[in-house]
Amino acid sequence: MATGDGPWGVAVDGSNAYVACSGSDRLDIIDLNTYALESIGTGLYPVSVAVDGSNAYVACYDSDRLDIIDLNTHALTSVATGGGPNDVAVDGENAYVACTEDNRLDIIDLNTHALTSVATEAGPYAVAVDGSNVYVACDYDDKLDIIDLNTYALTSVATGSGPMDVAVDGSNAYVASYSNNTLDIIDLNTHDRISVATGEGPWGVAVDGSNVYVTCYYVDTLEVFRQTNCLSGYDTDSCTGLPLSDW
């Protein structure tokens, strides 16, 4: 269905889809039952959105801010971030914002809006969080930064060239390495890495417990990898992406 110009980031919560429209400076909220659409103005160039049960969190790249939108009243509160907030993740207590231009991760307390910044490798582009760590894909340095949520200690793990997105499942981190045309699978305990070939230009990655999903920008495909094949004995020969029609 139609959205505002430049739909960039999307999140869902079971009732609605939330679309960050970078070219229209707005968040589109789409009812998943009726497909009715409501738009809320945001800061400049919104590129990423995350939701919890109460709010939507929108990273506005050109305004250097995180917009927090109450899902009941649609009231908007803005919190200043570092330069170029490109991605946001939330965990119920904090919002985690990858600030590409300042090479840092901003951690924003969702109750007080107090901000803590942690330096990262160059070009933090995407962020994911679990109960223990934050995972930041750093595009310019070809690293995955793993930041301990208690101590803020940082461990960097090498990835393929151009890590553009990261997802985690409790055991592994999955990194779309755009310039390498690979999916990098990093064991969260040992930090061992295997790389699996993808289509050209892997850009986005998601995981659901059974499969890993990779969008490939230059060949206009979604590739689906079975996690059990990818990880069992690190048998990369059996870790193959299949078209959705083959499932």
Side-chain angles (χ1 to χ4, degrees), residues 126-140:
V127 60
V129 62
D130 60 19
S132 303
N133 301 288
V134 187
Y135 305 86
V136 186
C138 297
D139 178 38
Y140 303 159

Side-chain angles (χ1 to χ4, degrees), residues 167-172 174 205-213 224-231 247:
V168 293
D169 67 1
S171 300
N172 301 282
Y174 304 87
V205 61
V207 61
D208 67 2
S210 300
N211 302 299
V212 187
Y213 306 86
V224 184
F225 297 86
R226 296 187 192 275
Q227 284 173 272
T228 52
N229 287 354
C230 293
L231 302 176
W247 291 78

Side-chain angles (χ1 to χ4, degrees), residues 159-165 174-185 193-203 205 214 216 223 225:
T159 66
S161 180
M164 302 302 287
D165 199 12
Y174 304 87
V175 181
S177 294
Y178 176 83
S179 300
N180 254 33
N181 300 327
T182 60
L183 170 69
D184 292 339
I185 304 169
R193 184 190 93 194
I194 64 169
S195 296
V196 180
T198 68
E200 190 175 0
W203 191 281
V205 61
V214 182
C216 297
E223 297 195 346
F225 297 86

Side-chain angles (χ1 to χ4, degrees), residues 19-37:
V19 183
C21 299
S22 61
S24 296
D25 300 332
R26 76 188 206 195
L27 178 71
D28 283 355
I29 303 175
I30 300 167
D31 186 292
L32 294 179
N33 291 313
T34 66
Y35 299 134
L37 183 148

